[in-house]
Amino acid sequence: MTRRISWTLLAVLVLAQICYPLTTGATRAGLTVATVVLGWLLSVGHALLSRGPRVAAALVAVATGGGFAIEAIGVATGVPFGSYDYSGELGPKLAGVPLIIPLAWTWMAWPAWLAAVRLTGGRAATANGSGSTAGGSGSTVGRWVGRITLATVGLAAWDLFLDPQMVAEGYWVWRDATPALPGLAGIPVSNYLGWLLFAVLMMSALRPLAGPAAEHTDRRDHPMVALYLWTYFSSILAHAVFLDLPASALWGAAGMSVTAIPLAVTLLRARRGGDSGREAHLPHRPGVDATR
């Protein structure tokens, strides 16, 4: 059931994103809002159905709640992103922040986290005992550092696509956009550094709040992995071909590749080795596993 609901929401989300370049003006702004809401429902719903209320609540607390707090601080003070203002095209605001903005943080935080878990050995044990993450304290620390790094970059690098696209639409504007990355005029480097700062704080807080259920991946997470890879490859195509934003296509392709390319390679190797055909299970939790 978890995967069926997630795949359905993902299909609707993909359809909405395909329609984005075909629209303009208020229709495009409305579609942007709808897409973010769909993404939030997909990620939070998947966390709830696959791992239970604690993980979903942790995700909402650190990504939605934390995202709103950092955006409100940013709008009011210019820290840590730089000075910027939101237009009125993205719906209702609170403290100067459109309510959908923290939903966007949440939308991509969960698949970025699961991608990092998968890449750092967080496979749930299969029926034949494979997928173990056993190791000493040194390997545990190394895995944790690698996981936080991949999840942080995997989320923050998404803004190399997002910010140029949204600024081009006039959804927000920077008061001082210098210094900027080559080809990405209108957006200060401080914005991307701010994303990195908040992403590392978010990812560091997610595991302690979510508990051990967030340490493993299994077949129920395939829709989230697909969401991450779809976001990466479709964003490159959209920016390069449909949105006339070639520079952000290159920057985004380079930034998100740190997580996306190893993830794609890992999945291809697992598929060729027949690993994808073996069902994996998280430890049983009454009331959660029944939703599968």
Side-chain angles (χ1 to χ4, degrees):
M1 179 179 176
T2 298
R3 287 197 294 164
R4 185 162 56 247
I5 293 174
S6 296
W7 281 121
T8 300
L9 283 173
L10 177 58
V12 176
L13 175 62
V14 168
L15 179 62
Q17 290 182 315
I18 289 173
C19 291
Y20 178 89
L22 307 177
T23 60
T24 58
T27 301
R28 178 173 284 189
L31 189 60
T32 299
V33 172
T35 301
V36 172
V37 172
L38 278 169
W40 186 89
L41 290 173
L42 173 57
S43 288
V44 174
H46 176 272
L48 176 63
L49 292 174
S50 66
R51 288 166 174 79
R54 176 178 175 177
V55 176
L59 177 62
V60 171
V62 300
T64 309
F68 173 77
I70 198 72
E71 289 281 356
I73 293 170
V75 168
T77 69
V79 178
F81 305 108
S83 297
Y84 60 104
D85 294 295
Y86 286 103
S87 72
E89 297 183 70
L90 294 179
K93 296 180 185 178
L94 180 62
V97 180
L99 296 179
I100 70 157
I101 296 299
L103 304 189
W105 286 95
T106 314
W107 166 20
M108 284 304 295
W110 184 235
W113 171 260
L114 292 177
V117 170
R118 175 63 194 264
L119 288 171
T120 53
R123 299 295 307 281
T126 61
N128 65 2
S130 66
S132 172
T133 59
S137 60
S139 63
T140 299
V141 171
R143 184 183 303 119
W144 183 86
V145 171
R147 184 168 297 171
I148 297 301
T149 299
L150 285 170
T152 295
V153 175
L155 173 61
W158 179 50
D159 195 50
L160 292 165
F161 289 120
L162 181 65
D163 231 279
Q165 181 178 336
M166 298 297 103
V167 168
E169 292 297 329
Y171 296 154
W172 56 81
V173 62
W174 296 91
R175 298 171 194 164
D176 182 5
T178 56
L181 294 174
L184 299 183
I187 306 163
V189 172
S190 60
N191 171 64
Y192 303 111
L193 296 177
W195 267 73
L196 277 171
L197 172 64
F198 178 61
V200 73
L201 294 175
M202 183 194 311
M203 295 305 181
S204 298
L206 181 58
R207 164 58 184 87
L209 290 174
E215 285 190 321
H216 305 287
T217 62
D218 66 12
R219 289 173 61 87
R220 291 172 294 176
D221 301 325
H222 288 180
M224 293 294 100
V225 172
L227 170 61
Y228 192 82
L229 292 177
W230 158 259
T231 300
Y232 177 64
F233 290 109
S234 68
S235 295
I236 295 172
L237 177 64
H239 283 237
V241 178
F242 298 105
L243 301 178
D244 194 26
L245 296 169
S248 58
L250 291 172
W251 280 105
M256 282 189 74
S257 70
V258 173
T259 300
I261 297 303
L263 178 63
V265 170
T266 297
L267 295 175
L268 285 173
R269 287 177 176 172
R271 184 174 183 83
R272 288 172 181 171
D275 185 58
S276 61
R278 295 197 297 268
E279 181 68 67
H281 298 278
L282 290 172
H284 176 70
R285 298 176 306 285
V288 175
D289 290 339
T291 64
R292 295 183 62 186

